[in-house]
Amino acid sequence: DAGITQSPRHKVTETGTPVTLRCHQTENHRYMYWYRQDPGHGLRLIHYSYGVKDTDKGEVSDGYSVSRSKTEDFLLTLESATSSQTSVYFCAAGGQVVTEAFFGQGTRLTVV
Amino acid sequence: GENVEQHPSTLSVQEGDSAVIKCTYSDSASNYFPWYKQELGKRPQLIIDIRSNVGEKKDQRIAVTLNKTAKHFSLHITETQPEDSAVYFCAASGSGGGADGLTFGKGTHLIIQP
């Protein structure tokens, strides 16, 4: 599993509430990513990080923010959850060279 | 940015036959092309990858081919087995080599018929 764990694994939240998902890795990977997976869309990049405190936006970043204060942790925050953010969220991490991305187990988020 | 198209969306083959999944990409600067397998309810797992300086790579029953001129790459699975049933995703690195994330195809649901 390349030492990548996500928490929580499942969450149900109400519209308008903030939500934070956590990704923790033990392999000292430099690069970390948050993707969302939806039927018919495959995996789409939300945000990524290329080092501590270095982050940038991906394809579907609206409504999401991230933080990386330590190499091993990458947090994804939904500032005010909406039903369109109901999805499965995957964290991934990759190494120093051309990045092979290894995925966490995923978090199933339901916004009601 | 990069755009990846994947076909077919569903592929059903008899056990023991071969399966081929095809992808095209748009960014000629892409230099890394991984394939992931995702079983139901599980995480995507890297099964094989190819870099742009190589035309073909094999790993037991799995092979990937890359045609840089035509900007397409394919996954070939021979002697398919029931455990090959899953959703397969291709991806391309874009000009960032993957450091700024991968662009994925929408997936192929491979069904192995007994």
Side-chain angles (χ1 to χ4, degrees):
Chain A
D1 64 1
I4 301 168
T5 56
Q6 293 182 229
S7 59
R9 295 292 315 280
H10 302 272
K11 187 169 181 66
V12 180
T13 192
E14 293 186 349
T15 299
T17 60
V19 177
T20 296
L21 309 183
R22 180 181 184 238
C23 179
H24 179 78
Q25 56 116 342
T26 60
E27 301 294 320
N28 201 35
H29 292 302
R30 175 181 175 184
Y31 302 98
M32 296 187 76
Y33 311 90
W34 278 105
Y35 290 90
R36 61 179 288 175
Q37 184 172 36
D38 305 288
H41 290 277
L43 291 142
R44 293 180 292 173
L45 182 67
I46 305 171
H47 280 279
Y48 66 97
S49 168
Y50 46 96
V52 173
K53 297 186 180 179
D54 291 324
T55 65
D56 207 343
K57 296 178 180 180
E59 176 189 357
V60 290
S61 59
D62 287 349
Y64 301 95
S65 62
V66 290
S67 65
R68 192 168 179 200
S69 59
K70 298 185 291 185
T71 297
E72 57 266 35
D73 290 326
F74 192 33
L75 304 180
L76 175 71
T77 296
L78 287 65
E79 293 142 9
S80 177
T82 67
S83 58
S84 64
Q85 294 176 311
T86 291
S87 186
V88 178
Y89 291 86
F90 283 99
C91 171
Q96 297 288 338
V97 192
V98 175
T99 44
E100 302 168 342
F102 300 100
F103 284 83
Q105 325 97 300
T107 295
R108 182 172 294 278
L109 177 69
T110 303
V111 183
V112 298
Chain B
E2 176 65 279
N3 182 52
V4 176
E5 300 283 342
Q6 182 172 348
H7 300 279
S9 57
T10 303
L11 178 60
S12 181
V13 301
Q14 291 293 124
E15 182 178 349
D17 287 351
S18 296
V20 180
I21 302 170
K22 299 182 179 182
C23 290
T24 61
Y25 62 98
S26 61
D27 188 345
S28 57
S30 282
N31 59 4
Y32 175 62
F33 306 90
W35 287 87
Y36 287 83
K37 175 183 180 182
Q38 187 178 29
E39 297 175 348
L40 189 62
K42 302 282 185 66
R43 74 186 81 193
Q45 293 201 299
L46 180 68
I47 56 171
I48 195 167
D49 56 17
I50 191 167
R51 304 182 196 281
S52 58
N53 58 346
V54 175
E56 182 175 1
K57 183 177 178 181
K58 293 184 72 173
D59 183 3
Q60 299 183 338
R61 297 185 298 106
I62 293 173
V64 58
T65 58
L66 172 64
N67 182 327
K68 287 178 60 181
T69 303
K71 290 191 282 189
H72 67 70
F73 56 113
S74 300
L75 177 72
H76 304 252
I77 305 174
T78 59
E79 300 173 7
T80 54
Q81 302 170 2
E83 54 265 36
D84 295 329
S85 292
V87 178
Y88 291 81
F89 293 96
C90 63
S93 63
S95 58
D100 52 356
L102 297 166
T103 300
F104 286 83
K106 294 182 178 176
T108 296
H109 184 194
L110 177 62
I111 302 166
I112 308 300
Q113 303 279 6

